[in-house]
Amino acid sequence: AQSVTQLDSHVSVSEGTPVLLRCNYSSSYSPSLFWYVQHPNKGLQLLLKYTSAATLVKGINGFEAEFKKSETSFHLTKPSAHMSDAAEYFCVVSVGTYKYIFGTGTRLKVLA
Amino acid sequence: GAGVSQSPRYKVAKRGQDVALRCDPISGHVSLFWYQQALGQGPEFLTYFQNEAQLDKSGLPSDRFFAERPEGSVSTLKIQRTQQEDSAVYLCASSLENSAVTDTQYFGPGTRLTVL
């Protein structure tokens, strides 16, 4: 069975400092992995996705994630946080052609 | 272009009432998905359509939940005899095609259902 674990429910960073949101996955097969962001009262927006090409994936708004098979991890990073990054972030694993399995989310708070 | 739209954005129902939630996917998208997001949780898969065919309804929590997509475009999620535990945000997503590699799903803003 596939699953995804987001290791932190809340993360607080100061504006201008690095962001690290952690995600571990469990999958019997080669997974596809995604990060989505959810701003209040807005739909989920895709940040980036990994589908067995390059292990370092670059996304929108300066975010990137690295697929590490040996650690079964897909952590999301950004070198410098901006106030507008404050939101809920979801790590998603998918095996096969369509079914997404979401983590429980990490709420990012950015302090001025 | 236009994204996925959902209506209504907010719905309040009395326990026992029936509700219908609408999803308009991105034009031309073959696949359509419904998810349920409880407060403080990640979305959970409910059902999946490829065109008008409902290929997977394994996530529907009970036989009170019913989804349809009769013409392969707009979809409706119906909940009969609503219960308080049905209170959640219902998300709709669509993707361009059902490919061998997982296709990106584009999400609507959701419908927040509150059952009193």
Side-chain angles (χ1 to χ4, degrees):
Chain A
Q2 296 77 44
S3 65
V4 62
T5 302
Q6 292 185 244
L7 299 168
D8 307 291
S9 59
H10 293 82
V11 170
S12 291
V13 300
S14 296
E15 190 176 22
T17 64
V19 176
L20 170 64
L21 305 183
R22 298 182 295 165
C23 173
N24 286 107
Y25 70 92
S26 172
S27 174
S28 303
Y29 303 96
S30 181
S32 295
L33 293 158
F34 306 77
W35 277 98
Y36 278 82
V37 61
Q38 187 175 42
H39 291 274
N41 297 318
K42 292 193 175 180
L44 287 157
Q45 181 184 17
L46 179 68
L47 281 177
L48 49 82
K49 69 177 181 180
Y50 165 79
T51 53
S52 75
T55 57
L56 182 61
V57 182
K58 293 187 183 300
I60 63 171
N61 301 335
F63 285 94
E64 62 181 40
E66 186 171 6
F67 173 71
K68 291 187 176 180
K69 187 175 181 179
S70 60
E71 299 176 8
T72 61
S73 70
F74 190 59
H75 301 334
L76 182 70
T77 60
K78 182 174 181 178
S80 175
H82 191 272
M83 295 298 289
S84 61
D85 294 329
E88 186 94 21
Y89 291 78
F90 291 95
C91 183
V92 180
V93 65
S94 180
V95 177
T97 55
Y98 65 87
K99 189 172 286 187
Y100 276 18
I101 297 170
F102 283 78
T104 52
T106 298
R107 184 165 297 277
L108 176 65
K109 187 174 182 179
V110 182
L111 307 172
Chain B
V4 179
S5 61
Q6 294 185 244
S7 62
R9 291 292 312 276
Y10 303 90
K11 177 70 178 177
V12 178
K14 292 183 179 179
R15 188 161 53 96
Q17 281 185 332
D18 297 348
V19 298
L21 312 179
R22 178 188 169 105
C23 172
D24 285 84
I26 295 172
S27 178
H29 276 197
V30 168
S31 298
L32 185 144
F33 310 83
W34 285 97
Y35 293 84
Q36 180 189 59
Q37 186 176 17
L39 190 64
Q41 300 296 315
E44 293 192 355
F45 171 82
L46 293 178
T47 187
Y48 159 60
F49 290 86
Q50 188 177 118
N51 295 307
E52 68 279 3
Q54 189 175 20
L55 299 187
D56 187 341
K57 54 182 181 179
S58 62
L60 296 177
S62 76
D63 58 8
R64 296 186 295 104
F65 287 70
F66 172 76
E68 60 183 5
R69 193 186 185 198
E71 298 179 355
S73 178
V74 171
S75 177
T76 304
L77 177 67
K78 297 179 179 178
I79 309 173
Q80 297 177 323
R81 305 181 303 281
T82 52
Q83 304 294 314
Q84 285 189 323
E85 61 263 29
D86 299 336
S87 296
V89 175
Y90 291 85
L91 297 169
C92 177
S94 68
S95 66
L96 182 59
E97 58 188 79
N98 184 25
S99 66
V101 175
T102 303
D103 202 8
T104 299
Q105 295 182 21
Y106 297 88
F107 285 81
T111 295
R112 182 177 297 277
L113 173 65
T114 303
V115 182
L116 303 176

